[in-house]
Every structure is written in C-alpha cells, then in structure tokens.
Amino acid sequence: MIKQKYIDLLRVTPGKTIQLKDYDTGWAQTNGLKALGKDKIKEQANEILEKNLADLTQVQQLLYADDRYSLLIVFQAMDAAGKDGTIKHVMSGVNPQGCQVYSFKKPTAEELDHNFLWRFMKNLPERGRIGIFNRSYYEDVLVVKVHPELLTNLPDGKKDKTFWKNRYEDINAFERHLERNGTVILKFFLNVSKKTQKKRFMERLDRPEKNWKFSAADLAERAHWNDYMEVYEEAINATSTEWAPWYIIPADHKWATRALVADIITSTLRELDLKFPQVSEAQLQLLAQAREELGNE
Ligand code: ATP
Ligand code: MG
C-alpha cells in the first residue's frame, strides 16, 4: 500500500482552490520521494501494483457478493495521458462480470436531444459492480467550455453567465444523489505534461503499430492546451467534494499512474463495510435438507 500521506497530497480537498501547475506530472509530490530516485520508486511502484491487483480481485468478489454498494470510477485526461492503458492494467484481475467500462465519445444526435447527464445515467454501475467511465459528463464542462459553439441546442436565455457554475452544481447534486444511494465515486485526472504528450504523439506517428491511435483532432485540441488546463482547474475546484473527490494523478510515467490508481481503488473498497451475505436459519435448514436428499439418491 502507498502511504496515506502521499495519496492525501493527490486528493483535492473539498473547498480548497488548487492550481494544476503545483502538481507534479512525474511521480514525486514531495522532496522525500524525489530523493529516493526514479529506479527505486519504479521498482516499489511495480511491487505495490502487483499486490494491489491481487487484492482488488478479492475485494471485488466481496463487493459483488455484498451487493449493496457500487463503485463509479471516472477517468478524465488530455489525449495520450494513458486512460486506456491504466484501465486495462488496473482492471486486469477483475472478474469481467462485475465490471463495466464505458468510453464516451462525441454525443450522438439522440444524446444531444436529452439533458447532458442522460447518457451517463443510463450506464451507471449496478449494485455490486464497478463501472468505469472513460471520459464522462465532465466533458460537458471541459471540451464544451473550451468550444462553447458546441452548445447548439439550448434556449438562448439558458446560456447566461451562471451557465457553467450551474453545470458544476448539477454535477455535484447528481454525484451526491448517487452517493446517497450507495454508489462510491472516485475521479481521476491523469495529469500528463505537454512535453510527454508530444513524445507519445510522436511515437504514434513513428511506430506503424501505433499509427491507428493517432488522430489529427488530437493535435487540434493540443493547440488549446492552456485553455484545457484552465477548464480542468475550474472543474476540479468546483466539483471535488467529500462524496466524490478528485485525485490528480501524475501521468508522465505509466508505472506511477497505474500503481497510484490501483492503490486508491483498492483501499477505497477495503474501507467499505463489505461482507458476504449472512445465511438465515431457514436457509440453513433448506441446505441441510438438500444435502440429505442428495445423499439419499
Ligand atoms: P482514444 O483516442 O484512446 O480512442 P478517446 O477517449 O480520446 O480515446 P476519441 O474518439 O478519440 O476517444 O475522442 C472522443 C472525443 O469526444 C474527445 O475529443 C472528447 O473531448 C469528445 N467528447 C466527449 N464528450 C463530448 C461532448 N459532450 N461534446 C463534445 N465532444 C465530446
Ligand atoms: Mg482520442
């Protein structure tokens, strides 16, 4: 397990105003960690990841059997920050029956004809399950805020100056509603540097097996980097709550991202009062009868 004090540094305290530039994209949020050196940290991170993946398999079974809570994990990030790879690795030991991943793209015409939370509501995890949102309703206060021309279908009067504040409020209320109904929510912003994004885009261009991952649209969004950092900062500050906190995860090194995300998921599930369902007296009697019947066959 990663020490709580390091995790606390990545968790955005509700009500506190953070600046993304204060968050390390490498791995060391403290000088103490920096001093350990990259190789040592990487080795430890990989060990922690292995252990957490094994634990996650166990605790997910318990979540499923317990059948009262669900876990919603939201991933948001700039392109090439490693959302897909993180989801793939962290969930590798999880029973596919208890886990659903949804990747949200540009909304369809039907989706745009509904309120912005509609398509997400339809895909929330059931009790006992883990639901992963690869992009989410946060796109509606991120990409849409950077490109307000995307807001085409609203009555004019609704687009006043409280519009974004209202959306943050709606998101907080929505998440509050989910939490009150037994959904545990974790939100990860994978914090990649502009430099690392360039390096990963270059790899996509240079390596034939990675060509398919490159999209010209990604380059167009990169040109809005500063705007994105600003809207991320605003969204994170407005929506990190006790019931749905944001974690700002360093994303320049995949081993660091994966170890941190796996650790936070596993320890969050461990803190729940999960238990295998109790078998009642009446059920025990039925089991005894069944055993007798089978034995007498
Ligand atoms: P990958 O590139 O790894 O396949 P991705 O999540 O980047 O994964 P893309 O299809 O490349 O998938 O991108 C989805 C795009 O949809 C993103 O640019 C995102 O900003 C955009 N998008 C998501 N929600 C909305 C929305 N509500 N309005 C407009 N664009 C949106
Ligand atoms: Mg993409």
Side-chain angles (χ1 to χ4, degrees):
M1 294 265 297
I2 298 172
K3 287 195 184 117
Q4 191 59 39
K5 63 175 182 180
Y6 296 129
I7 301 294
D8 287 345
L9 290 170
L10 305 175
R11 186 177 187 273
V12 177
T13 310
K16 203 177 147 212
T17 306
I18 60 97
Q19 288 195 301
L20 281 176
K21 67 172 175 50
D22 297 333
Y23 285 79
D24 195 61
T25 55
W27 75 86
Q29 200 63 36
T30 66
N31 289 334
L33 271 186
K34 243 180 215 137
L36 262 182
K38 185 173 153 192
D39 290 345
K40 191 82 202 134
I41 296 255
K42 185 175 174 179
E43 194 185 307
Q44 286 183 7
N46 285 333
E47 277 168 24
I48 288 170
L49 177 63
E50 288 286 301
K51 171 84 177 69
N52 274 318
L53 292 188
D55 287 4
L56 189 55
T57 307
Q58 301 286 321
V59 79
Q60 185 230 353
Q61 268 175 28
L62 195 52
L63 177 81
Y64 192 86
D66 179 275
D67 204 22
R68 292 177 300 151
Y69 294 96
S70 54
L71 175 64
L72 173 65
I73 309 175
V74 169
F75 283 95
Q76 283 293 155
M78 297 298 283
D79 288 298
K83 287 185 279 105
D84 291 358
T86 304
I87 293 168
K88 187 169 116 189
H89 271 82
V90 172
M91 292 298 141
S92 57
V94 161
N95 179 349
Q97 286 205 67
C99 177
Q100 297 135 318
V101 184
Y102 292 97
S103 297
F104 293 99
K105 310 287 180 186
K106 287 192 179 67
T108 62
E110 188 195 17
E111 287 165 348
L112 283 172
D113 269 346
H114 290 82
N115 70 71
F116 80 97
L117 293 172
W118 182 73
R119 62 175 177 153
F120 305 99
M121 282 182 194
K122 288 197 304 179
N123 292 300
L124 288 166
E126 296 159 50
R127 286 184 208 287
R129 315 258 168 133
I130 300 176
I132 296 176
F133 282 2
N134 181 353
R135 299 189 188 271
S136 65
Y137 40 90
Y138 282 96
E139 291 291 330
D140 292 274
V141 291
L142 296 167
V143 63
V144 183
K145 198 169 181 187
V146 172
H147 301 285
E149 67 277 11
L150 290 169
L151 277 174
T152 51
N153 56 355
L154 282 175
D156 287 344
K158 300 291 174 201
K159 289 186 258 181
D160 62 6
K161 49 179 201 310
T162 59
F163 181 79
W164 298 110
K165 192 173 151 279
N166 295 345
R167 277 211 165 172
Y168 300 139
E169 251 178 55
D170 291 344
I171 288 175
N172 286 341
F174 173 58
E175 292 178 342
R176 182 92 224 229
H177 165 70
L178 298 181
E179 187 268 341
R180 284 175 170 155
N181 278 277
T183 302
V184 177
I185 306 171
L186 290 174
K187 302 183 298 203
F188 296 114
F189 169 58
L190 305 192
N191 188 24
V192 75
S193 66
K194 199 174 178 192
K195 194 171 147 208
T196 300
Q197 191 196 53
K198 180 176 174 177
K199 193 179 119 222
R200 293 190 185 156
F201 279 175
M202 281 296 191
E203 278 170 19
R204 290 178 182 186
L205 292 167
D206 291 344
R207 299 189 21 200
E209 77 281 10
K210 289 201 171 182
N211 282 171
W212 65 274
K213 273 207 141 216
F214 185 80
S215 138
D218 294 353
L219 211 52
E221 291 319 295
R222 177 177 167 83
H224 296 284
W225 185 275
N226 292 341
D227 294 336
Y228 270 105
M229 290 305 111
E230 211 169 285
V231 295
Y232 264 110
E233 219 166 76
E234 286 162 356
I236 290 171
N237 282 325
T239 62
S240 199
T241 53
E242 288 300 341
W243 57 90
W246 274 106
Y247 291 88
I248 300 177
I249 306 290
D252 282 351
H253 302 287
K254 291 174 180 173
W255 50 264
T257 311
R258 291 168 190 174
L260 286 162
V261 167
D263 196 85
I264 294 167
I265 297 173
T266 313
S267 49
T268 300
L269 286 176
R270 271 222 208 87
E271 278 160 24
L272 300 175
D273 57 327
L274 299 174
K275 43 190 182 286
F276 287 106
Q278 287 285 324
V279 181
S280 67
E281 269 306 312
Q283 278 169 313
L284 281 175
Q285 273 184 19
L286 278 173
L287 294 181
Q289 264 175 30
R291 188 177 292 114
E292 206 180 313
E293 256 181 63
L294 269 175
N296 292 338
E297 243 180 24

